[in-house]
Amino acid sequence: MWNFNNEIDAEVCGEGVKRKILAYADEMMCVENHFEKGAIGALHHHPHTQITYVVSGQFEFTINGEKKIVNPGDALLKRDSIEHGCVCLKEGILLDIFTPMREEFVQDQD
């Protein structure tokens, strides 16, 4: 029920990218992603709907072939199976909400 950010270990999930799983239940998951400038979230897709909120930094996102620059306070909706990815232009943090939860993220921690 209570998950304190300073007690959650970040895992490296790519060059210049760390992930913290903040909270989850079967139907939903909240994940914080820390990006260094120049880090890449490679183009990918998955069977989960995802909302990304830009906490800090600046990112160039590609969603379904369309590119846009996003900044703090911006939010992005990525429906299930839509290809998406990003490049970090200024060091920052993205907050992702997934439905349903990403089981493979939890399995990676075991």
Side-chain angles (χ1 to χ4, degrees):
M1 181 181 316
W2 302 96
N3 297 297
F4 298 100
N5 195 302
N6 65 345
E7 296 175 0
I8 299 170
D9 292 329
E11 68 174 292
V12 174
C13 54
E15 188 173 334
V17 183
K18 292 182 182 176
R19 171 173 61 217
K20 285 186 170 189
I21 298 172
L22 301 180
Y24 65 92
D26 289 344
E27 62 279 356
M28 183 184 306
M29 176 178 264
C30 183
V31 177
E32 185 179 83
N33 299 287
H34 295 249
F35 281 78
E36 295 175 7
K37 182 178 179 178
I40 296 171
L43 285 173
H44 66 286
H45 60 86
H46 42 73
H48 309 82
T49 295
Q50 175 181 352
I51 294 174
T52 298
Y53 177 79
V54 182
V55 176
S56 63
Q58 185 178 59
F59 298 82
E60 179 183 72
F61 260 90
T62 302
I63 302 174
N64 204 26
E66 184 177 0
K67 288 186 180 189
K68 300 248 183 208
I69 305 258
V70 297
N71 294 287
D74 293 339
L76 304 81
L77 173 63
K78 294 162 270 181
R79 297 215 180 261
D80 58 309
S81 301
I82 296 293
E83 187 175 62
H84 59 279
C86 69
V87 175
C88 181
L89 303 177
K90 293 181 185 172
E91 180 178 350
I93 298 172
L94 299 174
L95 186 69
D96 286 328
I97 306 296
F98 296 98
T99 182
M101 63 95 73
R102 299 284 304 263
E103 290 183 21
E104 73 276 17
F105 285 6
V106 177
Q107 291 169 352
D108 289 348
Q109 290 185 330
D110 295 337

